[in-house]
Amino acid sequence: MMMFSEEYRHMIDQVHPNDELLCHILESAHSGKEKKSKTSASFRKPVIAVIAVCICMSLSVPVLAEKVEPVYQLMYTVSPELAQFFMPVQKSDEDNGIKMEVASACIRGNAADIYITMQDLTGDRIDGTTDLNDSYSINRPFSSLASCQRVGYDQKTKTATFLISITEWGNQKIAGDKITFSVGEFISGKKDYEDIRVPVDLSSAATAKNIKKVDSTGGSGKDYEKYIVEGKTTALTPSRAMDGFPVEGIELTGIGYIGGKLHIQTAVYDNLDKDNHGYFYLKDADGSIVDLDYAFSFLNQFQQPGRIDYDECVFDVPQKKIGNYILYGSFVTSSMHTEGNWRVTFPLKQAEAS
Amino acid sequence: MKPEPLRPDDCAEKVIRFYADMVYRLAYARTGTKCDADEIFQEVFLRYIKKQPVFNNEEHRKAWMIRVTINCSNKLWNSVWKRKAEPLTDTMPFETKQDMDLSDELQQLPQKYREVIHLFYYENMSLEEISRALNRKNSTVRTQLTRARALLRNILKEDDDVQRGI
C-alpha cells in the first residue's frame, strides 16, 4: 500500500498545463522581449496576502500621537514593544483639496510597513469605505511584493489610514532605499447589499425572444468553458431597466431562458469609476441555496464615454421548476469617484533600537 | 524528464518551461479546478514577463514563483463571483479512481491547508521554507500541517516520511 506522499505525488504528477496554454505564455514571453524594460517595479494591484494588519495593530507610536492622530488611535490599544522601530516620516502632498501623508514607517530587515493617511480638507470625499481602486503605485528600486489596504478611518478629521506592506525578495536589507507612493484616484461611499431578496417573480421567466452573440470579457463557474467558446457566448439582448431592483447603481436589464437555462442580466454605466458588482443566487422554500451554473461579462463598447458593463448569471434550473425558487443577491456599490495626483517619495530609514 | 537546472541569465522562455509544472500544480492544489489553474498559470507568468524581476539565485526565483502563485489564487478566490460561483467539479482526468478520490478528498480541506500539504509533500520544502514562502510563522505552518494531516487521517498512512520535519 502506498504512503500518502507517494499517493499524492502520483496524483499531482498527472497535473500539468496543456500545450496550448504553455504556447500562449511562451509567445507572450517572446513578444515581451522586444519591450524589455529595466525600470523599477510598480504595482497597481495588491498582490500580497495582507497579513501585516495584525502585526502592526500590535505596535504603538506614542511619539506620533499629537501629530498623527489616526495612526495613534489605530495603534493606541496595543503593546509599545516594537514602537521603537517605527520612524515618523510625515511627508505629504496635496491636490484637489485632499492631503496624502506618509505618517510612519517600520523597517525590519527586508520588510517595510508604512502608514499613509489621506484626509479631505474641503469636503466629505474620504470616508470609512474609501478604496484606492487599484490606482495606487509603489515604486521602489528593488524586487519585491507590495500591498496596500485601508486599516482605519477617523470621522472627526475625515482621515483614512492605509497600511502598505513591502517585502523584498532575497533577504536584502532595504533601509537606505527610497520609495515613491502615488495615488491617482479613489472611490468612496461604498454600500454593501448582503443577501437581499430581489422582487422578481421567477415563475414568469419566459424563453428569451431577443438574444445576441457577445464577446465575453470574463466570467466564472463550472460550465463557463462549456458555454463560452473562443470568447463568444449567447446573452440576453439588454432591455430597459426593470423597475423595483433594489440596488442603486446596478440595473436589472434582462431575465429569460436561453437553451433551457435561466439568464439574469445586470448593467452598470461607467463602471470604471465605481466598481459596482455582485452576484445572484436562488433559494428554495427550505432556504437551500442554488448557486449559478456560470457567469460572464460583456461590454457595449470599450474605453469610450457611455461604456456599459453587463454581467449575466446563468442558472441550470428547468423552466417548469423555477417558480419554486426566490431570487437573492449580494452586491457592492460606490457613489463617489475622486481623481487627483498625490505622490510622496521618502527614504526607508531603520530606527535604532534603544 | 527532469529539466536541466537554470542559470541566472537564462531567457524567459526557458524559465517558464522550467517552472510551468510547478506553478500549475500548486495552482491546481490551491483551487482544485482546471480552469482556475489555467487562469492563475497565465497570470503568474504574465507578471513574470511584465516585471522581469531580478533574482539573486534560483531559490529566490522559485520562492517568487510560489508566492506569486499563492497571491494570484488568493485574488481569484477572493473575487465575489468566484466565492459563490465556483464549484469543485472541474477536475482533471486522472488515471485511477484512487487519484480522483484523493483529489476530491483534498478539495474538502481548507485552501490554506492544501497549499501547505502540497509544498511539504510534493515540493519537499521544510516547514521553515514553507513559512518563508507563504510569509507565515513557522508555528502557524506547523499547526496547519498538523491539522491538515488530522483531517486527512483516513487516507494518510503515518510513516517516517510523513513525519518529516514535524
Side-chain angles (χ1 to χ4, degrees):
Chain A
M1 182 177 287
M2 282 197 293
M3 297 303 168
F4 172 78
S5 57
E6 294 168 335
E7 289 182 20
Y8 185 77
R9 187 167 291 278
H10 185 267
M11 184 270 288
I12 209 75
D13 273 343
Q14 298 167 52
V15 174
H16 51 80
N18 64 39
D19 291 342
E20 187 182 334
L21 187 65
L22 187 57
C23 285
H24 172 71
I25 287 295
L26 292 174
E27 281 171 16
S28 299
H30 182 69
S31 61
K33 268 183 177 176
E34 308 302 320
K35 303 169 189 170
K36 192 170 182 179
S37 165
K38 285 287 183 186
T39 54
S40 61
S42 169
F43 282 76
R44 283 182 58 82
K45 285 177 178 286
V47 294
I48 199 167
V50 177
I51 59 162
V53 179
C54 295
I55 297 170
C56 285
M57 284 296 284
S58 66
L59 307 175
S60 83
V61 199
V63 69
L64 297 176
E66 292 179 4
K67 293 182 177 177
V68 193
E69 188 70 15
V71 174
Y72 177 68
Q73 287 179 350
L74 191 71
M75 299 176 171
Y76 179 72
T77 55
V78 293
S79 163
E81 285 174 7
L82 296 177
Q84 59 190 321
F85 296 111
F86 259 84
M87 289 285 287
V89 178
Q90 297 183 277
K91 289 201 167 192
S92 63
D93 189 18
E94 191 178 320
D95 185 34
N96 194 12
I98 287 170
K99 179 182 173 186
M100 182 178 82
E101 179 171 22
V102 181
S104 63
C106 168
I107 315 297
R108 281 167 293 163
N110 69 332
D113 293 332
I114 301 152
Y115 280 99
I116 303 271
T117 61
M118 292 193 77
Q119 181 180 23
D120 193 341
L121 304 173
T122 61
D124 293 311
R125 293 163 294 177
I126 299 279
D127 61 21
T129 70
T130 296
D131 185 330
L132 297 183
N133 198 24
D134 294 339
S135 77
Y136 66 87
S137 69
I138 305 167
N139 291 289
R140 63 275 193 201
F142 46 84
S143 174
S144 60
L145 295 179
S147 69
C148 172
Q149 76 159 22
R150 188 187 63 254
V151 292
Y153 175 68
D154 181 55
Q155 175 71 42
K156 195 166 62 179
T157 59
K158 300 172 187 173
T159 303
T161 305
F162 298 88
L163 171 64
I164 304 171
S165 299
I166 302 175
T167 304
E168 188 267 353
W169 285 102
N171 290 320
Q172 301 293 311
K173 288 186 177 178
I174 59 179
D177 287 321
K178 281 185 177 180
I179 68 172
T180 298
F181 182 77
S182 57
V183 175
E185 62 183 330
F186 59 85
I187 55 177
S188 43
K190 277 188 147 181
K191 190 170 179 182
D192 287 320
Y193 298 82
E194 279 287 333
D195 196 33
I196 60 165
R197 181 172 175 165
V198 180
V200 168
D201 179 10
L202 291 175
S203 64
S204 64
T207 301
K209 291 177 181 171
N210 298 312
I211 58 176
K212 66 175 188 175
K213 283 280 182 190
V214 299
D215 293 314
S216 170
T217 55
S220 62
K222 70 181 176 69
D223 279 342
Y224 178 80
E225 287 190 328
K226 184 176 175 183
Y227 288 95
I228 283 71
V229 181
E230 294 180 346
K232 293 190 180 298
T233 191
T234 305
L236 301 168
T237 301
S239 63
R240 187 178 62 82
M242 298 179 187
D243 294 334
F245 189 63
V247 181
E248 193 176 344
I250 298 178
E251 296 183 345
L252 185 62
T253 51
I255 183 164
Y257 269 84
I258 301 176
K261 291 179 184 264
L262 177 67
H263 288 234
I264 302 174
Q265 184 190 81
T266 55
V268 181
Y269 287 75
D270 297 321
N271 203 26
L272 292 178
D273 294 344
K274 302 187 187 88
D275 194 29
N276 292 357
H277 56 271
Y279 57 89
F280 292 103
Y281 46 94
L282 305 174
K283 282 186 186 178
D284 65 14
D286 298 327
S288 299
I289 290 176
V290 176
D291 286 324
L292 52 81
D293 187 39
Y294 65 98
F296 60 91
S297 307
F298 62 98
L299 302 168
N300 64 331
Q301 59 194 14
F302 281 95
Q303 315 283 0
Q304 298 171 40
R307 165 174 157 158
I308 306 172
D309 284 75
Y310 294 98
D311 291 316
E312 200 152 311
C313 295
V314 182
F315 294 90
D316 191 13
V317 176
Q319 200 166 348
K320 61 184 178 184
K321 291 186 178 175
I322 196 65
N324 299 329
Y325 294 90
I326 297 169
L327 184 62
Y328 279 79
S330 291
F331 305 89
V332 179
T333 64
S334 61
S335 58
M336 200 180 302
H337 174 248
T338 305
E339 292 186 343
N341 182 17
W342 302 276
R343 174 183 295 265
V344 176
T345 298
F346 58 99
L348 295 171
K349 290 181 183 172
Q350 184 129 23
E352 295 296 328
S354 58
Chain B
M1 189 173 67
K2 195 172 180 179
E4 286 181 18
L6 288 174
R7 294 177 309 191
D9 58 347
D10 272 332
C11 60
E13 289 93 325
K14 199 165 181 181
V15 171
I16 291 166
R17 285 187 189 280
F18 187 87
Y19 284 107
D21 283 349
M22 186 197 81
V23 166
Y24 195 85
R25 285 167 184 161
L26 177 57
Y28 180 81
R30 288 269 296 182
T31 64
T33 69
K34 184 179 175 302
C35 68
D36 284 349
D38 287 356
E39 196 168 335
I40 293 164
F41 176 87
Q42 291 186 76
E43 179 75 16
V44 170
F45 285 116
L46 288 175
R47 285 188 189 191
Y48 181 81
I49 293 162
K50 183 180 174 189
K51 297 189 183 305
Q52 301 191 20
V54 178
F55 302 100
N56 300 332
N57 51 47
E58 213 42 54
E59 186 186 354
H60 183 193
R61 177 149 47 198
K62 181 179 177 182
W64 187 94
M65 293 287 179
I66 289 172
R67 187 53 188 269
V68 174
T69 304
I70 297 291
N71 287 338
C72 289
S73 54
N74 280 341
K75 182 182 153 196
L76 189 76
W77 201 259
N78 288 336
S79 117
V80 288
W81 288 101
K82 282 286 174 192
R83 274 207 305 266
K84 275 290 177 184
E86 193 55 53
L88 303 172
T89 52
D90 178 23
T91 51
M92 290 281 172
F94 290 113
E95 289 172 6
T96 66
K97 184 176 184 305
Q98 191 179 19
D99 292 329
M100 283 188 284
D101 290 345
L102 176 57
S103 178
D104 290 343
E105 192 79 30
L106 286 163
Q107 292 312 313
Q108 305 307 312
L109 294 179
Q111 198 179 26
K112 61 188 175 187
Y113 294 172
R114 295 204 297 267
E115 69 208 19
V116 172
I117 287 274
H118 181 82
L119 296 175
F120 186 81
Y121 288 111
Y122 190 77
E123 294 295 340
N124 288 321
M125 292 169 70
S126 67
L127 292 182
E128 193 179 351
E129 288 171 326
I130 296 171
S131 67
R132 267 206 309 271
L134 299 181
N135 211 359
R136 290 178 197 157
K137 287 181 184 172
N138 195 304
S139 58
T140 304
V141 173
R142 179 191 296 269
T143 302
Q144 289 174 341
L145 191 56
T146 303
R147 287 179 180 166
R149 288 171 59 235
L151 290 169
L152 286 167
R153 61 185 176 278
N154 291 335
I155 52 173
L156 274 173
K157 309 297 183 293
E158 300 290 343
D159 66 350
D160 290 341
D161 183 34
V162 169
Q163 293 296 333
R164 176 178 63 83
I166 300 179

